[in-house]
């Protein structure tokens, strides 16, 4: 049981490039989430999903997109990277009472 | 909407001393409360949670927290800290209700540094 896995661990992007952050969970949870963490700001919810085919915006969705074609996978897409998207990104899944977090992806946009 | 305020951004303490990390929340409906810990360069790990019942909640690594509804607080305590407790701690809240979809609102975090 691997829990929540994220790839890559680190990435450097140039301004305007695109990339997809991968997230997979093996706990059969319906709920999944993407957060970004910036120093002194806590975690901010970007997007969430309540099941395959159903996604919705969180607090800071601008510049991001998501999809949920299966229960296990919840990728986060950055279309035109900007320096403001430099952050640490965490994926999580939930059984509706507790969220389980992945190890994070550290993204730098220069 | 709910919000969470962690009253201290940094807490330095000596090894074997007691510590309290403070968390206040705001919500117009009943809530569930959580404390997560993040060790350097790692993801978040659940320390403890309050869902219902006893207001004193015990978690992993000797931590406990007390839910105080009248003061809308959920402070985290440990009677004797260890060097290995050095980490960032996050308080989080979610609405007690079906339409919350398990979403959490996090505080800004408190960095606990334990000195020898």
């Amino acid at each position: 049981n691997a829990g929540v896995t994220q790839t890559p661990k680190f990435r450097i992007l140039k301004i305007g490039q695109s990339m997809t952050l991968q997230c997979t969970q093996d706990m059969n949870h319906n709920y999944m989430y993407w957060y970004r963490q910036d120093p002194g700001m806590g975690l901010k919810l970007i997007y969430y999903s309540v099941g395959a085919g159903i996604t919705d915006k969180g607090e800071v969705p601008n510049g991001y997109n998501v999809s949920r074609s299966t229960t296990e996978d919840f990728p986060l897409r950055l279309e035109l990277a900007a320096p403001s998207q430099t952050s640490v990104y965490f994926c999580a899944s939930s059984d509706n009472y507790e969220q389980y977090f992945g190890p994070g992806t550290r993204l730098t946009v220069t | 909407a709910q919000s969470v305020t962690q009253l201290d951004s940094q807490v330095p303490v000596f090894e074997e001393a007691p510590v309290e990390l403070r968390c206040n929340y705001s919500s117009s409906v009943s809530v569930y409360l959580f404390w997560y810990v993040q060790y350097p360069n790692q993801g978040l790990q659940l320390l403890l949670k309050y869902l219902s019942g006893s207001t004193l909640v015990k978690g992993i690594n000797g931590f406990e927290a007390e839910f105080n509804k009248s003061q809308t607080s959920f402070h985290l305590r440990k009677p004797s800290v260890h060097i290995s407790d050095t980490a960032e701690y996050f308080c989080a809240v979610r609405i007690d209700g079906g339409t919350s979809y398990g979403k959490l609102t996090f505080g800004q975090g408190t960095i606990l540094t334990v000195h020898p």
Side-chain angles (χ1 to χ4, degrees):
Chain A
N1 190 334
V4 180
T5 57
Q6 292 182 238
T7 56
K9 285 186 167 43
F10 304 95
R11 184 72 186 268
I12 299 175
L13 279 183
K14 294 189 185 303
I15 294 171
Q17 287 185 321
S18 301
M19 78 163 294
T20 300
L21 282 66
Q22 301 292 345
C23 174
T24 300
Q25 54 98 3
D26 63 0
M27 295 173 282
N28 201 34
H29 289 161
N30 285 324
Y31 299 162
M32 295 188 74
Y33 315 86
W34 274 105
Y35 295 92
R36 60 176 289 170
Q37 183 184 24
D38 300 296
M41 302 293 289
L43 279 76
K44 302 292 185 187
L45 183 63
I46 304 172
Y47 270 94
Y48 67 100
S49 170
V50 301
I54 307 170
T55 63
D56 204 352
K57 296 177 181 178
E59 187 179 354
V60 291
N62 291 345
Y64 307 95
N65 276 300
V66 294
S67 60
R68 184 97 180 269
S69 57
T70 67
T71 299
E72 295 77 22
D73 300 306
F74 190 40
L76 177 71
R77 178 85 177 159
L78 283 71
E79 289 294 348
L80 291 170
S84 61
Q85 294 177 306
T86 293
S87 188
V88 181
Y89 292 85
F90 288 100
C91 179
S93 70
S94 172
D95 58 5
N96 199 34
Y97 289 103
E98 177 182 341
Q99 289 195 14
Y100 299 81
F101 285 81
T105 295
R106 186 174 295 273
L107 176 67
T108 301
V109 182
T110 62
Chain B
Q2 63 277 16
S3 65
V4 179
T5 302
Q6 291 182 238
L7 298 165
D8 307 291
S9 59
Q10 297 193 53
V11 173
V13 65
F14 286 107
E15 195 173 16
E16 297 183 6
V19 71
E20 178 180 80
L21 306 183
R22 297 179 295 166
C23 172
N24 287 349
Y25 70 93
S26 172
S27 176
S28 56
V29 298
S30 60
V31 296
Y32 299 148
L33 294 153
F34 304 82
W35 275 99
Y36 282 85
V37 60
Q38 184 181 33
Y39 298 105
N41 300 313
Q42 294 187 26
L44 276 71
Q45 177 184 358
L46 183 70
L47 267 182
L48 49 79
K49 61 182 181 245
Y50 172 79
L51 302 181
S52 65
S54 173
T55 57
L56 182 63
V57 180
K58 294 190 184 297
I60 62 171
N61 300 340
F63 284 93
E64 63 181 32
E66 186 152 20
F67 170 54
N68 188 320
K69 189 173 181 180
S70 62
Q71 297 189 5
T72 60
S73 67
F74 191 54
H75 301 333
L76 181 70
R77 302 185 182 100
K78 186 170 183 178
S80 176
V81 295
H82 191 267
I83 296 285
S84 60
D85 292 322
T86 294
E88 188 161 16
Y89 293 78
F90 292 95
C91 182
V93 63
R94 61 155 283 194
I95 291 172
D96 174 7
T99 59
S100 72
Y101 304 120
K103 290 182 289 180
L104 294 175
T105 299
F106 284 88
Q108 302 90 328
T110 297
I111 297 173
L112 174 66
T113 304
V114 181
H115 298 284

